[in-house]
Amino acid sequence: MSYFSEDELRCKCGCGEYKFDDEALSKLNDIRRDFGRPLTVTSGYRCSKHPIEAKKAVSRKGNYTGSYGAHNEGKAVDLAVDRADALKLLKIALRHGVERIGVNQKGSSRFIHLDWSKDLPSPTIWSY
């Protein structure tokens, strides 16, 4: 069973591409099942032209690096949660073996980033 539609996970830059990784989706569905209620996706797959991914591919000196993030691999998702729900999601994600986690719990756009990239440093956690 999938709790998430392709529309929720497709690139939101306007291209509409959907390349979310099947294994990552399976793990995300397991986390959602254990969470017990709907989770809002604020960002799923991002194509290389997505503004956030395009910035990652350019170094601070303006050189093209060709390196994108886990969203571009289709192996990352940002979920809109805050406060107690954020803590609950973190506990569940850790129980499911997520080893790359980003936390934004300030301001009005609070979310938790979960990703399953095997090409980026792991285990790690960061804040925005």
Side-chain angles (χ1 to χ4, degrees):
M1 164 176 214
S2 185
Y3 292 99
F4 300 93
S5 70
E6 286 186 12
D7 282 343
E8 290 177 283
L9 296 169
R10 74 179 62 250
C11 185
K12 293 182 175 38
C13 81
C15 72
E17 272 188 86
Y18 176 82
K19 292 184 180 177
F20 204 82
D21 182 80
D22 289 338
E23 185 178 343
L25 180 57
S26 177
K27 292 174 182 179
L28 178 60
N29 276 308
D30 290 344
I31 290 167
R32 162 53 184 87
R33 181 197 63 230
D34 290 357
F35 192 77
R37 60 182 197 276
L39 289 162
T40 300
V41 175
T42 60
S43 189
Y45 172 74
R46 294 183 196 145
C47 75
S48 57
K49 293 178 183 168
H50 187 286
I52 294 173
E53 295 303 310
K55 282 183 189 176
K56 292 177 185 176
V58 178
S59 73
R60 288 189 178 139
K61 294 182 180 178
N63 299 323
Y64 176 71
T65 66
S67 177
Y68 299 100
H71 284 278
N72 184 251
E73 297 175 37
K75 295 180 180 180
V77 65
D78 296 343
L79 301 168
V81 290
D82 64 9
R83 298 172 176 83
D85 283 342
L87 181 59
K88 177 180 178 180
L89 179 62
L90 285 172
K91 288 178 179 179
I92 294 167
L94 290 169
R95 217 171 36 239
H96 282 276
V98 177
E99 292 189 332
R100 293 184 43 80
I101 297 171
V103 178
N104 181 0
Q105 290 296 293
K106 61 183 186 277
S108 60
S109 300
R110 297 171 187 232
F111 66 91
I112 298 293
H113 168 99
L114 305 176
D115 89 51
W116 296 271
S117 176
K118 292 175 176 58
D119 298 326
L120 297 168
S122 180
T124 189
I125 189 167
W126 65 91
S127 62
Y128 294 91

